[in-house]
Amino acid sequence: MKKLILLLFVFTGFTNFYAQDITGQWNGVLKEMNLRLVVHITKTEDGYSSTLDSPDQGAKGIPVAITTFENNTLKLEAANLGITYFGEFVDGTFNGTFMQSGFKIPLILGREEVEKVNINRPQEPKEPYPYYTEDVSFDNTKASIKLAGTLTLPKKEGKFPVVVLISGSGPQDRNEELLGHKPFLIISDYLTRNGIGVLRFDDRGVGKSTGNFSTATSADFATDIESAISYLKSRKEIDVTKIGLVGHSEGGVIAPMVAAKSEDVSYIVLLAGTGIRGDKLLLLQQELIGRAMGMSEVQLQSSKELSTVVFEMIVSSTITQDLKTDVKKYIAEEINKLSNEELPAGISKDEESINGQVDQLTTPWMVYFMKHDPAKVLENVSCPVLAINGEKDLQVPPKENLEAIRKALEKGGNTDISTQELPGLNHLFQESVTGAPSEYGTIEQTFAPEALEVISSWILKKVN
C-alpha cells in the first residue's frame, strides 16, 4: 500500500502573474522527515511552472502538478500523491505547511541552501563489515530493464543460503530508506552476520536501476524478483536449494506471487504482509490512521462512506478513462454535500484537489492493488511461510491480516506456517508509542532487535 510518508512527488502547473519575482531555486527541509526539498520555479506564458529535487533520495527534475502564486501565497500540489504545500511569502521566504494524506508538517522555503540535519540512527552498521559485499546488477529481460543492488555474503568463498529483500510501496532504494532509516541495510547486516546471504536492490527507476516505476504494478515488480532469483542461480556461492524471499508491506504481497509460481523459492518471510483485498485494507488503514491523527467521528464516518463507494467503483471497473470520469463525478457531488465539519482531513472541494484525488486513486498501481486479493495467491503457496506484524501497525492491522494469511495458507494445504504479532511494534517494526506514521522519523530505532531475531532464527531453522 502506498506509504503515507513522502517518498517522491511531482509538481507542474500554472498560476496568475504576480508582481513578486518568485522564479529560481527555493530550498527547505521537512524536519520531521529530515528530507531536503529543492523547488525550481520558472515563469511561463500562463504563469509559473515548477520542478522538484529531492537530493536525499537522488531525485532531480521531477515535474510539479500545480503551481500557483496568488495573494502572496504559493501553492504547490502533487495531485497523484495527495501532496499540497501552501506558503505565505514573508521577508523573502515562504513560511508554510506541507500536507500529505492529512499529515501537516511546517516547511520554510528560502533562497539559501540548507544542510541535512544529522539524525541519530544507532543501529546503522559502519564499514568495514565483517562479511563480503559486492555491488551487482542483473537484467529483467521481460521488462527490458537493468536492476542494480548489493549482494552480501558471510564470506567471499563458500556456498550459502540467501534471501532477496522486497521493498514496500513507493519508489525505494536498496536500503528501503525512509526518514533517515535504512531498514534493509539493518536486516541485511544482521542476516549476513548470522550466516545468511542477502540480495537487496534499487526498485526499477530508482537509484542505479533503470525502468519506469510510475507505470508499474505489483505484478510487474514480481518479475523483478523473478529476475533476481535467476541471477542468484548463476552465482556459484549461492545454495540454489535455499533461496528465500523476505518482503515488507507491499513486498509481503509480492513474495507470495513469486513463490506460488516458482519452485526455486524455498521459503518466504512476510513483514507486515497483507492477507485481505486491497480495498478492504485501505478502508481499515484509513480509519486507524485518521483516528490517530485526531479526526472526529463525523469526519471518519464521512470518509468511510465516500471511500467505500469509490473503492467499489474501482474494484468493479474495466475501462480506466470511464473510471476516472465516474469517480470524479461521484467525489465532486458527494464532498459538495458535506459541511466543513464533515469534510475529511486532507480533502478539499476545489476542482484541482478533486482531480488530484482522482489521479491518485486511478493509477495503474492503485487499481491493481485494490483489486488484488492476496488470499487467493497464498492458497497456492506450498513453501514454509513466516508472517509477522507489529501490534501497533496502523497500515497493515495485524489481527485481520495475520488471520487471513493463515487461513488462506491452510486452505491451500500448507502445513508449515508460523505467524506472530510482536508487541509494541509499528509498521516499520520499530518500538513505538502509538504506531502512527508521524512517529516513524522521530524514533531512533530502525528495526527492533526482537524482530530481527525472529526472522533470523526462523530462516536458520529452515536452511540448516
Side-chain angles (χ1 to χ4, degrees), residues 174-198:
R174 67 193 69 187
N175 294 324
E176 203 189 30
E177 184 169 358
L178 176 69
L179 307 178
H181 290 291
K182 299 177 181 178
F184 276 13
L185 174 60
I186 306 301
I187 295 172
S188 175
D189 178 76
Y190 190 90
L191 293 181
T192 309
R193 288 173 187 263
N194 282 277
I196 304 162
V198 178

Side-chain angles (χ1 to χ4, degrees), residues 27-139:
N27 310 285
V29 176
L30 292 169
K31 292 183 178 179
E32 291 188 25
M33 302 178 179
N34 197 32
L35 192 69
R36 290 177 295 171
L37 303 179
V38 181
V39 180
H40 302 276
I41 302 177
T42 57
K43 190 176 294 184
T44 68
E45 293 182 0
D46 298 314
Y48 297 99
S49 67
S50 309
T51 61
L52 176 76
D53 299 341
S54 181
D56 301 316
Q57 296 174 303
K60 294 183 179 181
I62 305 167
V64 173
I66 295 171
T67 306
T68 63
F69 184 51
E70 299 174 342
N71 300 321
N72 225 33
T73 299
L74 175 68
K75 177 183 178 181
L76 305 173
E77 185 171 339
N80 62 330
L81 292 179
I83 294 166
T84 304
Y85 174 75
F86 288 96
E88 183 181 2
F89 191 76
V90 179
D91 297 331
T93 63
F94 288 104
N95 296 327
T97 302
F98 169 89
M99 294 174 284
Q100 183 180 25
S101 302
F103 291 95
K104 298 181 179 181
I105 303 173
L107 176 61
I108 297 175
L109 294 174
R111 293 292 192 182
E112 294 184 3
E113 292 190 12
V114 293
E115 295 295 327
K116 186 177 181 181
V117 179
N118 290 325
I119 295 180
N120 188 27
R121 299 293 183 237
Q123 286 179 289
E124 191 167 315
K126 307 299 181 184
E127 297 187 65
Y129 306 128
Y131 47 79
Y132 177 71
T133 299
E134 180 184 343
D135 288 336
V136 300
S137 64
F138 52 93
D139 295 321

Side-chain angles (χ1 to χ4, degrees), residues 130-132 151-163 186-199 237-239 242-244 267 452-453 455-464:
Y131 47 79
Y132 177 71
L151 176 65
T152 57
L153 299 170
K155 297 179 181 179
K156 186 174 182 179
E157 301 293 335
K159 212 171 190 66
F160 307 101
V162 67
V163 299
I186 306 301
I187 295 172
S188 175
D189 178 76
Y190 190 90
L191 293 181
T192 309
R193 288 173 187 263
N194 282 277
I196 304 162
V198 178
L199 173 62
E237 309 95 331
I238 305 304
D239 185 339
K242 298 175 181 178
I243 297 175
Y267 53 90
L452 291 170
E453 173 57 26
I455 298 165
S456 177
S457 60
W458 185 86
I459 293 175
L460 288 172
K461 288 177 182 178
K462 297 305 171 185
V463 299
N464 289 331

Side-chain angles (χ1 to χ4, degrees), residues 359-378:
D359 288 343
Q360 184 180 17
L361 289 167
T362 56
T363 63
W365 185 92
M366 184 63 79
V367 172
Y368 182 94
F369 179 78
M370 283 200 200
K371 292 184 176 186
H372 181 71
D373 186 352
K376 293 180 180 178
V377 176
L378 287 161

Side-chain angles (χ1 to χ4, degrees), residues 108-337:
I108 297 175
L109 294 174
R111 293 292 192 182
E112 294 184 3
E113 292 190 12
V114 293
E115 295 295 327
K116 186 177 181 181
V117 179
N118 290 325
I119 295 180
N120 188 27
R121 299 293 183 237
Q123 286 179 289
E124 191 167 315
K126 307 299 181 184
E127 297 187 65
Y129 306 128
Y131 47 79
Y132 177 71
T133 299
E134 180 184 343
D135 288 336
V136 300
S137 64
F138 52 93
D139 295 321
N140 178 341
T141 55
K142 291 182 181 178
S144 300
I145 61 175
K146 184 177 290 292
L147 300 161
T150 301
L151 176 65
T152 57
L153 299 170
K155 297 179 181 179
K156 186 174 182 179
E157 301 293 335
K159 212 171 190 66
F160 307 101
V162 67
V163 299
V164 181
L165 300 187
I166 312 173
S167 66
S169 60
Q172 302 283 316
D173 67 13
R174 67 193 69 187
N175 294 324
E176 203 189 30
E177 184 169 358
L178 176 69
L179 307 178
H181 290 291
K182 299 177 181 178
F184 276 13
L185 174 60
I186 306 301
I187 295 172
S188 175
D189 178 76
Y190 190 90
L191 293 181
T192 309
R193 288 173 187 263
N194 282 277
I196 304 162
V198 178
L199 173 62
R200 65 191 196 275
F201 61 93
D202 301 329
D203 288 348
R204 58 169 69 189
V206 177
K208 295 183 179 180
S209 292
T210 64
N212 188 342
F213 182 91
S214 64
T215 60
T217 67
S218 300
D220 297 314
F221 299 136
T223 68
D224 295 341
I225 305 306
E226 291 168 354
S227 300
I229 294 171
S230 296
Y231 168 72
L232 290 173
K233 291 172 64 179
S234 72
R235 299 282 304 232
K236 62 181 177 58
E237 309 95 331
I238 305 304
D239 185 339
V240 297
T241 67
K242 298 175 181 178
I243 297 175
L245 306 178
V246 178
H248 175 234
S249 198
E250 184 193 0
V253 175
I254 295 169
M257 294 169 66
V258 178
K261 298 193 302 179
S262 175
E263 295 181 356
D264 295 321
V265 179
S266 299
Y267 53 90
I268 60 175
V269 178
L270 312 181
L271 308 177
T274 69
I276 60 178
R277 202 174 67 192
D279 61 323
K280 306 301 181 185
L281 177 72
L282 291 176
L283 285 173
L284 281 173
Q285 181 186 105
Q286 181 176 278
E287 180 178 357
L288 289 170
I289 294 177
R291 199 177 299 280
M293 288 165 43
M295 286 174 58
S296 69
E297 292 301 320
V298 171
Q299 287 178 305
L300 290 171
Q301 184 59 32
S302 61
S303 177
K304 182 177 180 179
E305 291 174 356
L306 177 65
S307 295
T308 297
V309 176
V310 171
F311 292 175
E312 287 175 353
M313 293 170 66
I314 292 171
V315 169
S316 61
S317 67
T318 54
I319 304 174
T320 303
Q321 191 55 48
D322 287 350
L323 173 65
K324 293 185 74 166
T325 301
D326 294 342
V327 169
K328 179 180 178 180
K329 179 181 178 182
Y330 178 79
I331 291 177
E333 290 176 350
E334 292 304 310
I335 67 171
N336 281 313
K337 297 177 184 177

